[in-house]
Amino acid sequence: MEFQKVYFLGIGGIGMSALARYFMYGGKQVAGYDRTPSHLTDELSAEGAAIHFEDDVRLIPAGFLDPADTMVVYTPAVPQEHGELQYFAENGFRIEKRSQMLGHLAEGKYVMAVAGTHGKTTTSTLVAWLNRGLTGGGSAFLGGISKNFNGNLVLDGNGVQGLRPVAERGAAASESRPAGGRLAVEADEFDRSFLRLWPDVAVVTSADADHLDIYGTHEAVKEAFSQFVRQIRPGGYLIIKQGVDIVVDNPQITVYRYAYDEPCDFYARNVQLLEGGYYRYDIVTPGGVIEGCTLGIPGWVNIENSVAAVASVWCAAKADGTEPDAGKLREALASFSGVKRRFEFYVNTPKQVYMDDYAHHPRELAATLTSVRKMFPGRRVTALFQPHLYTRTRDLYAEFAEALSHADEVVLLPIYPAREEPIPGITSEIIAERVAVPCRIVGRETLADTVAAMDTDVVISFGAGNIDACCGALAEKLKAKS
């Protein structure tokens, strides 16, 4: 890229921060704006990025004010009326969305993209870990913080969080970016971002009604996924979950179906529950059976994710004219540590369990609660949920209530607005009044004390907002109860 400096609007987002790290690793100067400080922005600042938190052109570093050597990347979560975005647009800067930039960086690589309204973060992170286990390399842009890679960016099989400043790494840093090879990416359907990708292998985990503020209807969501499938390169592969209802009309690809334990092209069999919610199982593939697999993270839903990930690397190996090494696959599955805020345990004792999960769609909530029920049969489950976005709550409040009713008791937080303004009449109350089990609404600042005073056994917190800021306090109080 001819630009030596990259400015990010929304630099603290999980996908944006991975791009920022990529460019810093490649020797570029990076700066940016975000709405609020976070753990991610703290890390990026420590790694060399200049970040501020007010929409003020005067705060843009002087070195990033020349359109001849500065590129601007923004997330669609930044509104078009944002002052800094308007400044860059009016002054001739090259400006691209995050998805456009990701599309550029995917050129020349063997792209393994995981799409879906839920399940894509864990699955794409597992694809990256399996690539490393099987080939020793591979790169990835991830939608969560991988515990194995200790970050959301993987280059040549290694995580790069905690980069030394460019000056310390020297000129060789700009030569260390990978060219070609396997690239695992989370293909995000928000704002139709995934239509900037042209994958060789694509996984579709789900195509539920979501982001209706963008799409309008569920049919429009499904059509976008169909278009994504049409963009799989000739000779490529689609791995789609059994039962996902989208049009598949790309005649130049091979289509495989996968499932948890329903016989199809790829599925799990002989599933055995182990202590602590872990499982042992076999994975059936078109080329044979990989026996005696165990996954390093608990939950039956993650078995399904692992089947999809194995199918992805199996197809990549087939494209190379090889078969993946079964022993290396088993080893990589067993050593997978998961993703922060995806089935993340804080307390796991016979008397008290506390885990946190990013789930923010009704299908995700229902799948995780069902999985927890199977992991801890006969135990009392308390769900803590922070709804994310007014529009999503407006469109899916009945489905949220139905999903949360899989728990024995529910605690709701007020809606996390993110990029949205309030919508009259849309509050957490419209969910609470439809939940079929005892339900209360509390403020985030009193959540830990409220839960500590309740009769709890298995507790799980959900949400894509800032409920995770409560995890430490919740864990401390629930650990004391155990």
Side-chain angles (χ1 to χ4, degrees), residues 435-457:
V435 173
V437 299
C439 179
R440 69 183 82 178
I441 301 172
V442 303
R444 189 169 64 94
E445 65 282 355
T446 61
L447 178 64
D449 288 334
T450 298
V451 175
M454 295 168 61
D455 179 17
T456 58
D457 181 3

Side-chain angles (χ1 to χ4, degrees), residues 8 57 75 92 97-99 137 145 167-168 178 184-185 200 221 242 268 294 341-342 346 350 393 397 407 424 439:
F8 289 87
V57 172
T75 169
K97 287 185 179 180
R98 180 190 65 85
S99 56
I145 302 300
E168 294 180 18
V185 296
D200 297 278
V221 175
Q242 186 88 313
T294 57
R341 298 218 64 219
R342 271 71 174 183
Y346 284 80
T393 304
Y397 62 88
C439 179

Side-chain angles (χ1 to χ4, degrees), residues 162-416:
L163 297 173
R164 289 179 293 128
V166 171
E168 294 180 18
R169 290 185 282 120
S174 61
E175 303 301 323
S176 54
R177 291 181 292 168
R182 294 185 185 180
L183 173 65
V185 296
E186 178 172 328
D188 188 4
E189 75 280 0
F190 174 70
D191 197 41
R192 296 178 171 83
S193 293
F194 60 173
L195 299 184
R196 299 285 183 175
L197 294 170
W198 300 82
D200 297 278
V201 177
V203 176
V204 174
T205 66
S206 50
D208 298 322
D210 199 5
H211 302 301
L212 298 185
D213 54 322
I214 302 293
Y215 287 96
T217 67
H218 189 191
E219 287 305 312
V221 175
K222 294 195 289 185
E223 171 53 31
F225 276 92
S226 295
Q227 180 58 43
F228 174 69
V229 169
R230 294 183 193 112
Q231 294 181 188
I232 300 173
R233 292 169 179 160
Y237 301 88
L238 169 64
I239 301 150
I240 184 169
K241 184 181 172 182
Q242 186 88 313
V244 171
D245 179 25
I246 62 171
V247 173
V248 176
D249 56 2
N250 184 340
Q252 303 182 82
I253 63 173
T254 301
V255 179
Y256 291 115
R257 296 274 174 177
Y258 78 94
Y260 167 55
D261 61 356
E262 182 182 351
C264 55
D265 299 306
F266 294 88
Y267 66 98
R269 73 177 191 190
N270 297 331
V271 179
Q272 303 169 54
L273 176 63
L274 307 177
E275 186 177 354
Y278 295 85
Y279 290 87
R280 179 179 294 114
Y281 53 101
D282 305 331
I283 297 180
V284 180
T285 78
V289 181
I290 305 169
E291 298 182 332
C293 298
T294 57
L295 191 61
I297 56 175
W300 73 265
V301 70
N302 286 318
I303 299 176
E304 185 174 86
N305 292 334
S306 76
V307 172
V310 166
S312 184
V313 298
W314 187 90
C315 288
K318 186 176 179 181
D320 289 338
T322 63
E323 286 276 343
D325 183 287
K328 289 182 177 180
L329 267 179
R330 278 191 291 266
E331 183 179 339
L333 288 168
S335 61
F336 182 61
S337 300
V339 184
K340 287 185 181 296
R341 298 218 64 219
R342 271 71 174 183
F343 254 91
E344 185 172 16
F345 277 87
Y346 284 80
V347 182
N348 190 358
T349 72
K351 291 185 177 181
Q352 189 73 62
V353 172
Y354 170 53
M355 58 184 291
D356 178 57
D357 195 84
Y358 190 71
H360 55 284
H361 185 277
R363 288 285 184 90
E364 295 172 324
L365 292 173
T368 303
L369 286 169
T370 301
S371 192
V372 168
R373 288 286 191 198
K374 291 184 178 182
M375 291 160 59
F376 302 106
R379 297 181 66 173
R380 177 178 174 80
V381 177
T382 301
L384 321 175
F385 178 53
Q386 182 187 46
H388 184 259
L389 299 179
Y390 294 104
T391 53
R392 183 180 284 123
T393 304
R394 176 198 64 197
D395 296 332
L396 300 171
Y397 62 88
E399 291 87 345
F400 276 125
E402 182 180 358
L404 289 165
S405 297
H406 288 288
D408 296 293
E409 189 169 10
V410 175
V411 178
L412 291 175
L413 271 64
I415 296 170
Y416 183 79

Side-chain angles (χ1 to χ4, degrees), residues 30-71:
V30 168
Y33 155 89
D34 208 280
R35 186 175 181 180
T36 56
S38 66
H39 184 60
L40 267 175
T41 57
D42 290 345
E43 290 177 343
L44 290 171
S45 295
E47 293 162 18
I51 302 175
H52 62 270
F53 303 97
E54 294 179 51
D55 177 11
D56 188 341
V57 172
R58 294 170 298 180
L59 297 178
I60 300 171
F64 290 79
L65 294 174
D66 184 357
D69 66 1
T70 298
M71 170 109 185

